């Protein structure tokens, strides 16, 4: 308790220049700011706002999953099966508010300024000053991170002849990951909205950029005092950065093993198999993120895929039985071929 930010405040704070130590309270009324004992970005014993008091220590996380298997065995001993896995997870963390540390420039003609501040700037010959603000009243970025997975396998296995066994499996899996960063500040809009002026023709408070026609939809934002931004201004400067990523996997595999011959010292065994794997992903981000417009996130679109083909053959054969030096001697030979589509 009692520890806060030495270089910022919820309603705005001037930390440099002739007006250093001026904080903006309710209604934009300026008041002296007590820095207290300063240690870097933190202070103790002053009037600093406690930013850490609302930090989320543990994020909300939920998980659920289910597994099912259906199999059928024939009289011959062969078996068919279906495996199904479905899972879902969700996490909902929050971020700190949109901190602007010392890089907000305020002009003297900003109509949201009180007469007291304007008079002080006039007396001091100031056209601008720089301020900092935690923007608690814009809210925090809240995340919806949701992952959904479905994986299905269809297979069969059996035996034939004198000890030969076989199996084959086909599988397909998908995983969709989605992230929504809600209540996220759109920085270019914020920079336009805080530069407010009075329209010389109508007398209304507008964005300076609106006078030149650069941003006709801009809504001016009042920075001075906690709770000063209007609902319309918050709607203008806040948005949702998002991304959807689809992962897909396909698998086809087959294996065969058994005895190919018998030698005086034992059977000659063989194992062979092949497998095909395909993996792909496609990520789709929102249009504003493509231009790095958001404070957090700015998720991009991308895609890619590859496949792998593999085959193996292995043979094991006995060479010698029991000798004075050993119980038996076997020879084992194997070859594996792997082909990646992108290397």
């Amino acid at each position: 308790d009692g520890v806060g930010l030495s270089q910022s405040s919820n309603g705005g704070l001037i930390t440099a220049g002739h007006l250093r130590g001026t904080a903006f309270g309710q209604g934009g009324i300026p008041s002296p700011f007590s820095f207290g004992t300063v240690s870097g970005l933190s202070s103790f014993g002053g009037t600093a706002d406690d930013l850490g008091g609302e930090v989320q220590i543990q994020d909300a996380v939920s998980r659920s999953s289910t597994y099912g298997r259906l199999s059928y065995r024939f009289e011959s001993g062969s078996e068919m099966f279906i495996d199904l896995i479905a899972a879902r997870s969700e996490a909902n963390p929050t971020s700190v508010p949109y901190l602007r540390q010392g890089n907000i420039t305020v002009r003297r003609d900003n109509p949201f300024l009180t007469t007291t501040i304007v008079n002080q700037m006039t007396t001091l010959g100031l056209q601008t000053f720089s301020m900092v603000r935690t923007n608690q009243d814009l809210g925090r970025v809240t995340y919806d991170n949701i992952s959904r997975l479905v994986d299905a396998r269809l297979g069969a296995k059996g035996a034939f002849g004198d000890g030969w066994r076989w199996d084959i499996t086909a599988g397909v899996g998908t995983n969709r990951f989605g992230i929504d960063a809600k209540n996220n500040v759109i920085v270019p809009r914020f920079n336009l909205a805080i530069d407010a002026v009075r329209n010389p023709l109508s007398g209304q408070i507008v964005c300076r950029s609106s006078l030149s026609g650069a941003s006709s939809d801009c809504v001016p934002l009042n920075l001075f005092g906690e709770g000063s931004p209007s609902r319309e201004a918050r709607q203008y400067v806040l948005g949702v950065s998002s991304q959807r990523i689809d992962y897909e996997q396909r698998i086809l595999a087959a294996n065969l093993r058994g005895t190919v011959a018998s030698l005086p010292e034992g059977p000659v065994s063989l194992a062979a198999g092949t497998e095909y794997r395909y993996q792909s992903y496609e990520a789709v981000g929102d249009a504003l993120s493509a231009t790095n417009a958001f404070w957090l996130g700015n998720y991009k679109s991308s895609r890619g895929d590859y496949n792998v083909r593999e085959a193996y053959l292995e043979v094991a054969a006995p060479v010698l039985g029991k000798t004075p030096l050993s119980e038996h001697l076997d020879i084992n030979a194997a070859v594996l071929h792997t082909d990646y589509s992108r290397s």
Side-chain angles (χ1 to χ4, degrees), residues 149-153 171-175 247-251:
L149 176 140
V150 176
D151 186 85
R153 302 292 171 96
V172 59
T174 61
N175 182 35
Y247 300 94
E248 183 177 349
Q249 176 179 260
R250 302 174 201 162
I251 294 175

Side-chain angles (χ1 to χ4, degrees), residues 281-298:
Y281 88 95
E282 182 175 10
V284 179
D286 63 274
L288 285 175
S289 289
T291 62
N292 296 321
F294 285 103
W295 175 47
L296 297 174
N298 292 311

Side-chain angles (χ1 to χ4, degrees), residues 188-257:
R189 293 187 184 182
F190 181 88
N191 291 334
L192 293 177
I194 62 177
D195 189 13
V197 294
R198 196 172 294 278
N199 189 318
L201 299 178
S202 66
Q204 293 181 326
I205 299 177
V206 297
C207 302
R208 190 183 305 272
S209 58
S210 298
L211 297 180
S212 62
S215 57
S216 58
D217 60 340
C218 181
V219 180
L221 188 147
N222 185 353
L223 290 174
F224 310 107
E226 187 173 7
S228 296
S230 66
R231 181 175 62 87
E232 293 77 14
R234 292 198 304 271
Q235 289 177 342
Y236 174 70
V237 301
L238 297 174
V240 179
S241 58
S242 62
Q243 187 183 53
R244 299 292 180 269
I245 306 177
D246 288 315
Y247 300 94
E248 183 177 349
Q249 176 179 260
R250 302 174 201 162
I251 294 175
L252 180 62
N255 297 281
L256 177 68
R257 54 197 179 278

Side-chain angles (χ1 to χ4, degrees), residues 2 7 20 64 91 136 152 156 184 232 236 270 310 325-326 328:
Q7 300 298 317
R20 181 182 183 273
S64 60
Q136 290 267 28
N184 201 350
E232 293 77 14
Y236 174 70
L270 175 144
E310 291 186 316
L325 298 178
S326 65
H328 60 270

Side-chain angles (χ1 to χ4, degrees), residues 99-340:
L99 300 175
R100 287 292 291 259
Q101 302 283 52
N103 59 359
I104 297 177
T105 299
V106 178
R107 301 175 186 270
R108 192 172 66 181
D109 60 354
N110 191 309
F112 291 122
L113 287 173
T114 63
T115 303
T116 301
I117 288 293
V118 174
N119 290 339
Q120 287 180 324
M121 294 179 69
T122 301
T123 301
L124 295 170
L126 299 177
Q127 296 298 321
T128 63
F129 64 79
S130 296
M131 63 177 285
V132 295
R133 201 174 194 274
T134 62
N135 295 305
Q136 290 267 28
D137 44 17
L138 295 182
R140 294 167 180 262
V141 178
T142 60
Y143 293 89
D144 288 343
N145 297 337
I146 301 177
S147 180
R148 297 180 179 90
L149 176 140
V150 176
D151 186 85
R153 302 292 171 96
L154 173 65
K157 58 184 179 179
F160 66 93
D162 186 14
W164 284 90
R165 302 190 65 83
W166 59 273
D167 64 77
I168 184 169
T169 304
V172 59
T174 61
N175 182 35
R176 163 164 281 200
F177 175 76
I179 181 170
D180 291 325
K182 301 177 179 179
N183 210 63
N184 201 350
V185 171
I186 305 170
V187 178
R189 293 187 184 182
F190 181 88
N191 291 334
L192 293 177
I194 62 177
D195 189 13
V197 294
R198 196 172 294 278
N199 189 318
L201 299 178
S202 66
Q204 293 181 326
I205 299 177
V206 297
C207 302
R208 190 183 305 272
S209 58
S210 298
L211 297 180
S212 62
S215 57
S216 58
D217 60 340
C218 181
V219 180
L221 188 147
N222 185 353
L223 290 174
F224 310 107
E226 187 173 7
S228 296
S230 66
R231 181 175 62 87
E232 293 77 14
R234 292 198 304 271
Q235 289 177 342
Y236 174 70
V237 301
L238 297 174
V240 179
S241 58
S242 62
Q243 187 183 53
R244 299 292 180 269
I245 306 177
D246 288 315
Y247 300 94
E248 183 177 349
Q249 176 179 260
R250 302 174 201 162
I251 294 175
L252 180 62
N255 297 281
L256 177 68
R257 54 197 179 278
T259 300
V260 295
S262 293
L263 298 179
E265 304 303 332
V268 178
S269 56
L270 175 144
T274 183
E275 180 170 308
Y276 171 81
R277 300 190 303 275
Y278 171 82
Q279 291 190 329
S280 67
Y281 88 95
E282 182 175 10
V284 179
D286 63 274
L288 285 175
S289 289
T291 62
N292 296 321
F294 285 103
W295 175 47
L296 297 174
N298 292 311
Y299 310 106
K300 302 300 187 291
S301 298
S302 57
R303 66 186 309 274
D305 64 356
Y306 71 94
N307 63 70
V308 186
R309 294 178 173 87
E310 291 186 316
Y312 73 90
L313 176 67
E314 184 173 5
V315 178
V319 177
L320 294 175
K322 187 173 183 178
T323 68
L325 298 178
S326 65
E327 289 293 325
H328 60 270
L329 176 64
D330 291 347
I331 288 181
N332 181 279
V335 59
L336 170 68
H337 177 73
T338 303
D339 177 29
Y340 283 82

